mmCIF file with all atom_site columns, all heavy atoms in Angstrom:
data_model
loop_
_atom_site.group_PDB
_atom_site.id
_atom_site.type_symbol
_atom_site.label_atom_id
_atom_site.label_alt_id
_atom_site.label_comp_id
_atom_site.label_asym_id
_atom_site.label_entity_id
_atom_site.label_seq_id
_atom_site.pdbx_PDB_ins_code
_atom_site.Cartn_x
_atom_site.Cartn_y
_atom_site.Cartn_z
_atom_site.occupancy
_atom_site.B_iso_or_equiv
_atom_site.pdbx_formal_charge
_atom_site.auth_seq_id
_atom_site.auth_comp_id
_atom_site.auth_asym_id
_atom_site.auth_atom_id
_atom_site.pdbx_PDB_model_num
ATOM 1   N N   . LEU A 1 282 ? -14.892 12.474  -4.591 1.00 0.00 ? 282 LEU A N   1
ATOM 2   C CA  . LEU A 1 282 ? -13.480 12.116  -4.220 1.00 0.00 ? 282 LEU A CA  1
ATOM 3   C C   . LEU A 1 282 ? -13.480 11.584  -2.837 1.00 0.00 ? 282 LEU A C   1
ATOM 4   O O   . LEU A 1 282 ? -13.971 12.171  -1.897 1.00 0.00 ? 282 LEU A O   1
ATOM 5   C CB  . LEU A 1 282 ? -12.670 13.491  -4.319 1.00 0.00 ? 282 LEU A CB  1
ATOM 6   C CG  . LEU A 1 282 ? -12.541 14.160  -5.600 1.00 0.00 ? 282 LEU A CG  1
ATOM 7   C CD1 . LEU A 1 282 ? -11.676 15.475  -5.401 1.00 0.00 ? 282 LEU A CD1 1
ATOM 8   C CD2 . LEU A 1 282 ? -12.023 13.320  -6.730 1.00 0.00 ? 282 LEU A CD2 1
ATOM 9   N N   . LEU A 1 283 ? -12.861 10.399  -2.646 1.00 0.00 ? 283 LEU A N   1
ATOM 10  C CA  . LEU A 1 283 ? -12.586 9.875   -1.343 1.00 0.00 ? 283 LEU A CA  1
ATOM 11  C C   . LEU A 1 283 ? -11.232 9.141   -1.381 1.00 0.00 ? 283 LEU A C   1
ATOM 12  O O   . LEU A 1 283 ? -10.942 8.400   -2.333 1.00 0.00 ? 283 LEU A O   1
ATOM 13  C CB  . LEU A 1 283 ? -13.687 8.853   -1.028 1.00 0.00 ? 283 LEU A CB  1
ATOM 14  C CG  . LEU A 1 283 ? -13.500 8.051   0.262  1.00 0.00 ? 283 LEU A CG  1
ATOM 15  C CD1 . LEU A 1 283 ? -13.425 8.988   1.533  1.00 0.00 ? 283 LEU A CD1 1
ATOM 16  C CD2 . LEU A 1 283 ? -14.577 7.084   0.488  1.00 0.00 ? 283 LEU A CD2 1
ATOM 17  N N   . GLY A 1 284 ? -10.426 9.423   -0.420 1.00 0.00 ? 284 GLY A N   1
ATOM 18  C CA  . GLY A 1 284 ? -9.079  8.784   -0.338 1.00 0.00 ? 284 GLY A CA  1
ATOM 19  C C   . GLY A 1 284 ? -8.356  9.164   0.832  1.00 0.00 ? 284 GLY A C   1
ATOM 20  O O   . GLY A 1 284 ? -8.886  9.500   1.926  1.00 0.00 ? 284 GLY A O   1
ATOM 21  N N   . GLY A 1 285 ? -7.001  9.120   0.679  1.00 0.00 ? 285 GLY A N   1
ATOM 22  C CA  . GLY A 1 285 ? -6.136  9.333   1.850  1.00 0.00 ? 285 GLY A CA  1
ATOM 23  C C   . GLY A 1 285 ? -5.452  8.080   2.343  1.00 0.00 ? 285 GLY A C   1
ATOM 24  O O   . GLY A 1 285 ? -5.530  7.005   1.649  1.00 0.00 ? 285 GLY A O   1
ATOM 25  N N   . PRO A 1 286 ? -4.826  8.071   3.434  1.00 0.00 ? 286 PRO A N   1
ATOM 26  C CA  . PRO A 1 286 ? -4.206  6.888   4.021  1.00 0.00 ? 286 PRO A CA  1
ATOM 27  C C   . PRO A 1 286 ? -5.173  5.745   4.139  1.00 0.00 ? 286 PRO A C   1
ATOM 28  O O   . PRO A 1 286 ? -6.257  5.946   4.719  1.00 0.00 ? 286 PRO A O   1
ATOM 29  C CB  . PRO A 1 286 ? -3.636  7.349   5.342  1.00 0.00 ? 286 PRO A CB  1
ATOM 30  C CG  . PRO A 1 286 ? -3.617  8.793   5.317  1.00 0.00 ? 286 PRO A CG  1
ATOM 31  C CD  . PRO A 1 286 ? -4.749  9.182   4.407  1.00 0.00 ? 286 PRO A CD  1
ATOM 32  N N   . ALA A 1 287 ? -4.905  4.599   3.509  1.00 0.00 ? 287 ALA A N   1
ATOM 33  C CA  . ALA A 1 287 ? -5.893  3.559   3.493  1.00 0.00 ? 287 ALA A CA  1
ATOM 34  C C   . ALA A 1 287 ? -6.074  2.941   4.898  1.00 0.00 ? 287 ALA A C   1
ATOM 35  O O   . ALA A 1 287 ? -5.115  2.617   5.591  1.00 0.00 ? 287 ALA A O   1
ATOM 36  C CB  . ALA A 1 287 ? -5.521  2.481   2.521  1.00 0.00 ? 287 ALA A CB  1
ATOM 37  N N   . PRO A 1 288 ? -7.370  2.740   5.277  1.00 0.00 ? 288 PRO A N   1
ATOM 38  C CA  . PRO A 1 288 ? -7.619  2.008   6.558  1.00 0.00 ? 288 PRO A CA  1
ATOM 39  C C   . PRO A 1 288 ? -7.494  0.517   6.319  1.00 0.00 ? 288 PRO A C   1
ATOM 40  O O   . PRO A 1 288 ? -8.489  -0.251  6.336  1.00 0.00 ? 288 PRO A O   1
ATOM 41  C CB  . PRO A 1 288 ? -9.177  2.459   6.844  1.00 0.00 ? 288 PRO A CB  1
ATOM 42  C CG  . PRO A 1 288 ? -9.716  2.637   5.486  1.00 0.00 ? 288 PRO A CG  1
ATOM 43  C CD  . PRO A 1 288 ? -8.637  3.144   4.630  1.00 0.00 ? 288 PRO A CD  1
ATOM 44  N N   . VAL A 1 289 ? -6.294  0.096   6.229  1.00 0.00 ? 289 VAL A N   1
ATOM 45  C CA  . VAL A 1 289 ? -5.953  -1.257  5.940  1.00 0.00 ? 289 VAL A CA  1
ATOM 46  C C   . VAL A 1 289 ? -6.570  -2.150  6.937  1.00 0.00 ? 289 VAL A C   1
ATOM 47  O O   . VAL A 1 289 ? -7.013  -3.378  6.590  1.00 0.00 ? 289 VAL A O   1
ATOM 48  C CB  . VAL A 1 289 ? -4.410  -1.477  5.870  1.00 0.00 ? 289 VAL A CB  1
ATOM 49  C CG1 . VAL A 1 289 ? -3.955  -2.990  5.856  1.00 0.00 ? 289 VAL A CG1 1
ATOM 50  C CG2 . VAL A 1 289 ? -3.842  -0.774  4.634  1.00 0.00 ? 289 VAL A CG2 1
ATOM 51  N N   . ARG A 1 290 ? -6.551  -1.890  8.298  1.00 0.00 ? 290 ARG A N   1
ATOM 52  C CA  . ARG A 1 290 ? -7.099  -2.642  9.402  1.00 0.00 ? 290 ARG A CA  1
ATOM 53  C C   . ARG A 1 290 ? -8.477  -3.014  9.023  1.00 0.00 ? 290 ARG A C   1
ATOM 54  O O   . ARG A 1 290 ? -8.960  -4.180  9.500  1.00 0.00 ? 290 ARG A O   1
ATOM 55  C CB  . ARG A 1 290 ? -6.956  -1.855  10.741 1.00 0.00 ? 290 ARG A CB  1
ATOM 56  C CG  . ARG A 1 290 ? -7.384  -2.657  11.809 1.00 0.00 ? 290 ARG A CG  1
ATOM 57  C CD  . ARG A 1 290 ? -6.584  -4.036  12.063 1.00 0.00 ? 290 ARG A CD  1
ATOM 58  N NE  . ARG A 1 290 ? -7.115  -4.764  13.175 1.00 0.00 ? 290 ARG A NE  1
ATOM 59  C CZ  . ARG A 1 290 ? -8.151  -5.631  13.144 1.00 0.00 ? 290 ARG A CZ  1
ATOM 60  N NH1 . ARG A 1 290 ? -8.882  -5.666  12.078 1.00 0.00 ? 290 ARG A NH1 1
ATOM 61  N NH2 . ARG A 1 290 ? -8.472  -6.256  14.251 1.00 0.00 ? 290 ARG A NH2 1
ATOM 62  N N   . ARG A 1 291 ? -9.307  -2.234  8.339  1.00 0.00 ? 291 ARG A N   1
ATOM 63  C CA  . ARG A 1 291 ? -10.680 -2.516  8.072  1.00 0.00 ? 291 ARG A CA  1
ATOM 64  C C   . ARG A 1 291 ? -10.757 -3.746  7.209  1.00 0.00 ? 291 ARG A C   1
ATOM 65  O O   . ARG A 1 291 ? -11.682 -4.604  7.403  1.00 0.00 ? 291 ARG A O   1
ATOM 66  C CB  . ARG A 1 291 ? -11.334 -1.358  7.388  1.00 0.00 ? 291 ARG A CB  1
ATOM 67  C CG  . ARG A 1 291 ? -12.857 -1.584  7.120  1.00 0.00 ? 291 ARG A CG  1
ATOM 68  C CD  . ARG A 1 291 ? -13.430 -0.838  5.914  1.00 0.00 ? 291 ARG A CD  1
ATOM 69  N NE  . ARG A 1 291 ? -13.159 0.565   5.870  1.00 0.00 ? 291 ARG A NE  1
ATOM 70  C CZ  . ARG A 1 291 ? -13.586 1.369   4.921  1.00 0.00 ? 291 ARG A CZ  1
ATOM 71  N NH1 . ARG A 1 291 ? -14.270 0.951   3.900  1.00 0.00 ? 291 ARG A NH1 1
ATOM 72  N NH2 . ARG A 1 291 ? -13.303 2.696   4.933  1.00 0.00 ? 291 ARG A NH2 1
ATOM 73  N N   . PHE A 1 292 ? -9.823  -3.924  6.325  1.00 0.00 ? 292 PHE A N   1
ATOM 74  C CA  . PHE A 1 292 ? -9.913  -4.973  5.339  1.00 0.00 ? 292 PHE A CA  1
ATOM 75  C C   . PHE A 1 292 ? -9.074  -6.283  5.707  1.00 0.00 ? 292 PHE A C   1
ATOM 76  O O   . PHE A 1 292 ? -9.297  -7.260  5.060  1.00 0.00 ? 292 PHE A O   1
ATOM 77  C CB  . PHE A 1 292 ? -9.398  -4.409  4.017  1.00 0.00 ? 292 PHE A CB  1
ATOM 78  C CG  . PHE A 1 292 ? -10.196 -3.216  3.499  1.00 0.00 ? 292 PHE A CG  1
ATOM 79  C CD1 . PHE A 1 292 ? -9.581  -1.924  3.569  1.00 0.00 ? 292 PHE A CD1 1
ATOM 80  C CD2 . PHE A 1 292 ? -11.448 -3.297  3.028  1.00 0.00 ? 292 PHE A CD2 1
ATOM 81  C CE1 . PHE A 1 292 ? -10.230 -0.783  3.139  1.00 0.00 ? 292 PHE A CE1 1
ATOM 82  C CE2 . PHE A 1 292 ? -12.115 -2.207  2.614  1.00 0.00 ? 292 PHE A CE2 1
ATOM 83  C CZ  . PHE A 1 292 ? -11.541 -0.955  2.627  1.00 0.00 ? 292 PHE A CZ  1
ATOM 84  N N   . LEU A 1 293 ? -8.138  -6.117  6.674  1.00 0.00 ? 293 LEU A N   1
ATOM 85  C CA  . LEU A 1 293 ? -7.244  -7.178  6.898  1.00 0.00 ? 293 LEU A CA  1
ATOM 86  C C   . LEU A 1 293 ? -7.869  -8.535  7.142  1.00 0.00 ? 293 LEU A C   1
ATOM 87  O O   . LEU A 1 293 ? -7.486  -9.537  6.557  1.00 0.00 ? 293 LEU A O   1
ATOM 88  C CB  . LEU A 1 293 ? -6.312  -6.824  8.128  1.00 0.00 ? 293 LEU A CB  1
ATOM 89  C CG  . LEU A 1 293 ? -5.038  -6.178  7.735  1.00 0.00 ? 293 LEU A CG  1
ATOM 90  C CD1 . LEU A 1 293 ? -4.267  -5.898  9.016  1.00 0.00 ? 293 LEU A CD1 1
ATOM 91  C CD2 . LEU A 1 293 ? -4.260  -6.897  6.701  1.00 0.00 ? 293 LEU A CD2 1
ATOM 92  N N   . PRO A 1 294 ? -8.906  -8.691  7.968  1.00 0.00 ? 294 PRO A N   1
ATOM 93  C CA  . PRO A 1 294 ? -9.472  -10.013 8.182  1.00 0.00 ? 294 PRO A CA  1
ATOM 94  C C   . PRO A 1 294 ? -10.020 -10.653 7.020  1.00 0.00 ? 294 PRO A C   1
ATOM 95  O O   . PRO A 1 294 ? -9.720  -11.869 6.689  1.00 0.00 ? 294 PRO A O   1
ATOM 96  C CB  . PRO A 1 294 ? -10.647 -9.719  9.239  1.00 0.00 ? 294 PRO A CB  1
ATOM 97  C CG  . PRO A 1 294 ? -10.262 -8.471  9.937  1.00 0.00 ? 294 PRO A CG  1
ATOM 98  C CD  . PRO A 1 294 ? -9.596  -7.711  8.918  1.00 0.00 ? 294 PRO A CD  1
ATOM 99  N N   . ASP A 1 295 ? -10.705 -9.952  6.072  1.00 0.00 ? 295 ASP A N   1
ATOM 100 C CA  . ASP A 1 295 ? -11.173 -10.496 4.823  1.00 0.00 ? 295 ASP A CA  1
ATOM 101 C C   . ASP A 1 295 ? -10.129 -10.781 3.920  1.00 0.00 ? 295 ASP A C   1
ATOM 102 O O   . ASP A 1 295 ? -10.118 -11.849 3.210  1.00 0.00 ? 295 ASP A O   1
ATOM 103 C CB  . ASP A 1 295 ? -12.154 -9.557  4.213  1.00 0.00 ? 295 ASP A CB  1
ATOM 104 C CG  . ASP A 1 295 ? -13.472 -9.507  4.916  1.00 0.00 ? 295 ASP A CG  1
ATOM 105 O OD1 . ASP A 1 295 ? -13.813 -10.436 5.655  1.00 0.00 ? 295 ASP A OD1 1
ATOM 106 O OD2 . ASP A 1 295 ? -14.224 -8.444  4.692  1.00 0.00 ? 295 ASP A OD2 1
ATOM 107 N N   . LEU A 1 296 ? -9.050  -9.955  3.813  1.00 0.00 ? 296 LEU A N   1
ATOM 108 C CA  . LEU A 1 296 ? -7.894  -10.129 2.920  1.00 0.00 ? 296 LEU A CA  1
ATOM 109 C C   . LEU A 1 296 ? -7.145  -11.363 3.357  1.00 0.00 ? 296 LEU A C   1
ATOM 110 O O   . LEU A 1 296 ? -6.724  -12.185 2.546  1.00 0.00 ? 296 LEU A O   1
ATOM 111 C CB  . LEU A 1 296 ? -6.963  -8.956  2.867  1.00 0.00 ? 296 LEU A CB  1
ATOM 112 C CG  . LEU A 1 296 ? -7.662  -7.658  2.260  1.00 0.00 ? 296 LEU A CG  1
ATOM 113 C CD1 . LEU A 1 296 ? -6.596  -6.502  2.358  1.00 0.00 ? 296 LEU A CD1 1
ATOM 114 C CD2 . LEU A 1 296 ? -8.208  -7.877  0.875  1.00 0.00 ? 296 LEU A CD2 1
ATOM 115 N N   . ILE A 1 297 ? -6.921  -11.531 4.617  1.00 0.00 ? 297 ILE A N   1
ATOM 116 C CA  . ILE A 1 297 ? -6.298  -12.738 5.216  1.00 0.00 ? 297 ILE A CA  1
ATOM 117 C C   . ILE A 1 297 ? -6.935  -14.001 4.775  1.00 0.00 ? 297 ILE A C   1
ATOM 118 O O   . ILE A 1 297 ? -6.324  -14.990 4.332  1.00 0.00 ? 297 ILE A O   1
ATOM 119 C CB  . ILE A 1 297 ? -6.013  -12.615 6.712  1.00 0.00 ? 297 ILE A CB  1
ATOM 120 C CG1 . ILE A 1 297 ? -4.973  -11.538 6.986  1.00 0.00 ? 297 ILE A CG1 1
ATOM 121 C CG2 . ILE A 1 297 ? -5.563  -13.961 7.269  1.00 0.00 ? 297 ILE A CG2 1
ATOM 122 C CD1 . ILE A 1 297 ? -4.871  -11.156 8.502  1.00 0.00 ? 297 ILE A CD1 1
ATOM 123 N N   . ASP A 1 298 ? -8.279  -13.948 4.850  1.00 0.00 ? 298 ASP A N   1
ATOM 124 C CA  . ASP A 1 298 ? -9.081  -15.135 4.555  1.00 0.00 ? 298 ASP A CA  1
ATOM 125 C C   . ASP A 1 298 ? -8.976  -15.467 3.001  1.00 0.00 ? 298 ASP A C   1
ATOM 126 O O   . ASP A 1 298 ? -8.788  -16.610 2.640  1.00 0.00 ? 298 ASP A O   1
ATOM 127 C CB  . ASP A 1 298 ? -10.577 -14.851 4.870  1.00 0.00 ? 298 ASP A CB  1
ATOM 128 C CG  . ASP A 1 298 ? -11.426 -16.102 4.552  1.00 0.00 ? 298 ASP A CG  1
ATOM 129 O OD1 . ASP A 1 298 ? -11.240 -17.201 5.097  1.00 0.00 ? 298 ASP A OD1 1
ATOM 130 O OD2 . ASP A 1 298 ? -12.321 -15.999 3.601  1.00 0.00 ? 298 ASP A OD2 1
ATOM 131 N N   . LEU A 1 299 ? -9.004  -14.383 2.192  1.00 0.00 ? 299 LEU A N   1
ATOM 132 C CA  . LEU A 1 299 ? -8.945  -14.587 0.727  1.00 0.00 ? 299 LEU A CA  1
ATOM 133 C C   . LEU A 1 299 ? -7.576  -15.216 0.391  1.00 0.00 ? 299 LEU A C   1
ATOM 134 O O   . LEU A 1 299 ? -7.398  -16.039 -0.520 1.00 0.00 ? 299 LEU A O   1
ATOM 135 C CB  . LEU A 1 299 ? -9.129  -13.272 -0.011 1.00 0.00 ? 299 LEU A CB  1
ATOM 136 C CG  . LEU A 1 299 ? -10.520 -12.744 0.050  1.00 0.00 ? 299 LEU A CG  1
ATOM 137 C CD1 . LEU A 1 299 ? -10.547 -11.280 -0.579 1.00 0.00 ? 299 LEU A CD1 1
ATOM 138 C CD2 . LEU A 1 299 ? -11.424 -13.625 -0.820 1.00 0.00 ? 299 LEU A CD2 1
ATOM 139 N N   . ILE A 1 300 ? -6.487  -14.759 1.034  1.00 0.00 ? 300 ILE A N   1
ATOM 140 C CA  . ILE A 1 300 ? -5.161  -15.244 0.842  1.00 0.00 ? 300 ILE A CA  1
ATOM 141 C C   . ILE A 1 300 ? -5.019  -16.667 1.384  1.00 0.00 ? 300 ILE A C   1
ATOM 142 O O   . ILE A 1 300 ? -4.451  -17.500 0.570  1.00 0.00 ? 300 ILE A O   1
ATOM 143 C CB  . ILE A 1 300 ? -4.117  -14.284 1.442  1.00 0.00 ? 300 ILE A CB  1
ATOM 144 C CG1 . ILE A 1 300 ? -4.061  -12.886 0.689  1.00 0.00 ? 300 ILE A CG1 1
ATOM 145 C CG2 . ILE A 1 300 ? -2.763  -14.894 1.503  1.00 0.00 ? 300 ILE A CG2 1
ATOM 146 C CD1 . ILE A 1 300 ? -3.390  -11.838 1.511  1.00 0.00 ? 300 ILE A CD1 1
ATOM 147 N N   . MET A 1 301 ? -5.373  -16.883 2.566  1.00 0.00 ? 301 MET A N   1
ATOM 148 C CA  . MET A 1 301 ? -5.184  -18.136 3.116  1.00 0.00 ? 301 MET A CA  1
ATOM 149 C C   . MET A 1 301 ? -6.141  -19.310 2.479  1.00 0.00 ? 301 MET A C   1
ATOM 150 O O   . MET A 1 301 ? -5.805  -20.509 2.632  1.00 0.00 ? 301 MET A O   1
ATOM 151 C CB  . MET A 1 301 ? -5.331  -18.157 4.672  1.00 0.00 ? 301 MET A CB  1
ATOM 152 C CG  . MET A 1 301 ? -4.377  -17.370 5.343  1.00 0.00 ? 301 MET A CG  1
ATOM 153 S SD  . MET A 1 301 ? -2.706  -17.856 5.063  1.00 0.00 ? 301 MET A SD  1
ATOM 154 C CE  . MET A 1 301 ? -2.699  -19.474 6.065  1.00 0.00 ? 301 MET A CE  1
ATOM 155 N N   . THR A 1 302 ? -7.071  -18.864 1.733  1.00 0.00 ? 302 THR A N   1
ATOM 156 C CA  . THR A 1 302 ? -7.810  -19.828 1.006  1.00 0.00 ? 302 THR A CA  1
ATOM 157 C C   . THR A 1 302 ? -7.488  -19.845 -0.437 1.00 0.00 ? 302 THR A C   1
ATOM 158 O O   . THR A 1 302 ? -8.207  -20.446 -1.306 1.00 0.00 ? 302 THR A O   1
ATOM 159 C CB  . THR A 1 302 ? -9.432  -19.582 1.210  1.00 0.00 ? 302 THR A CB  1
ATOM 160 O OG1 . THR A 1 302 ? -9.745  -18.271 0.897  1.00 0.00 ? 302 THR A OG1 1
ATOM 161 C CG2 . THR A 1 302 ? -9.801  -19.867 2.646  1.00 0.00 ? 302 THR A CG2 1
ATOM 162 N N   . ASP A 1 303 ? -6.464  -19.209 -0.826 1.00 0.00 ? 303 ASP A N   1
ATOM 163 C CA  . ASP A 1 303 ? -5.895  -19.173 -2.150 1.00 0.00 ? 303 ASP A CA  1
ATOM 164 C C   . ASP A 1 303 ? -6.899  -18.639 -3.238 1.00 0.00 ? 303 ASP A C   1
ATOM 165 O O   . ASP A 1 303 ? -6.835  -18.990 -4.324 1.00 0.00 ? 303 ASP A O   1
ATOM 166 C CB  . ASP A 1 303 ? -5.338  -20.561 -2.562 1.00 0.00 ? 303 ASP A CB  1
ATOM 167 C CG  . ASP A 1 303 ? -4.310  -21.073 -1.745 1.00 0.00 ? 303 ASP A CG  1
ATOM 168 O OD1 . ASP A 1 303 ? -3.339  -20.177 -1.396 1.00 0.00 ? 303 ASP A OD1 1
ATOM 169 O OD2 . ASP A 1 303 ? -4.169  -22.272 -1.407 1.00 0.00 ? 303 ASP A OD2 1
ATOM 170 N N   . GLN A 1 304 ? -7.736  -17.657 -2.780 1.00 0.00 ? 304 GLN A N   1
ATOM 171 C CA  . GLN A 1 304 ? -8.607  -17.031 -3.700 1.00 0.00 ? 304 GLN A CA  1
ATOM 172 C C   . GLN A 1 304 ? -7.920  -15.900 -4.488 1.00 0.00 ? 304 GLN A C   1
ATOM 173 O O   . GLN A 1 304 ? -8.287  -15.472 -5.569 1.00 0.00 ? 304 GLN A O   1
ATOM 174 C CB  . GLN A 1 304 ? -9.909  -16.577 -3.050 1.00 0.00 ? 304 GLN A CB  1
ATOM 175 C CG  . GLN A 1 304 ? -10.714 -17.589 -2.408 1.00 0.00 ? 304 GLN A CG  1
ATOM 176 C CD  . GLN A 1 304 ? -11.940 -17.058 -1.748 1.00 0.00 ? 304 GLN A CD  1
ATOM 177 O OE1 . GLN A 1 304 ? -12.767 -16.570 -2.433 1.00 0.00 ? 304 GLN A OE1 1
ATOM 178 N NE2 . GLN A 1 304 ? -12.060 -17.318 -0.463 1.00 0.00 ? 304 GLN A NE2 1
ATOM 179 N N   . ILE A 1 305 ? -6.952  -15.233 -3.857 1.00 0.00 ? 305 ILE A N   1
ATOM 180 C CA  . ILE A 1 305 ? -6.133  -14.164 -4.459 1.00 0.00 ? 305 ILE A CA  1
ATOM 181 C C   . ILE A 1 305 ? -4.711  -14.439 -4.190 1.00 0.00 ? 305 ILE A C   1
ATOM 182 O O   . ILE A 1 305 ? -4.306  -15.075 -3.152 1.00 0.00 ? 305 ILE A O   1
ATOM 183 C CB  . ILE A 1 305 ? -6.608  -12.768 -3.984 1.00 0.00 ? 305 ILE A CB  1
ATOM 184 C CG1 . ILE A 1 305 ? -6.391  -12.582 -2.526 1.00 0.00 ? 305 ILE A CG1 1
ATOM 185 C CG2 . ILE A 1 305 ? -7.965  -12.483 -4.424 1.00 0.00 ? 305 ILE A CG2 1
ATOM 186 C CD1 . ILE A 1 305 ? -6.625  -11.193 -1.986 1.00 0.00 ? 305 ILE A CD1 1
#
Side-chain angles (χ1 to χ4, degrees):
L282 301 178
L283 175 60
V289 168
R290 180 61 181 82
R291 185 208 305 183
F292 304 106
L293 272 180
D295 288 340
L296 296 180
I297 290 170
D298 179 67
L299 290 170
I300 290 166
M301 294 302 290
T302 54
D303 294 323
Q304 296 181 63
I305 58 174

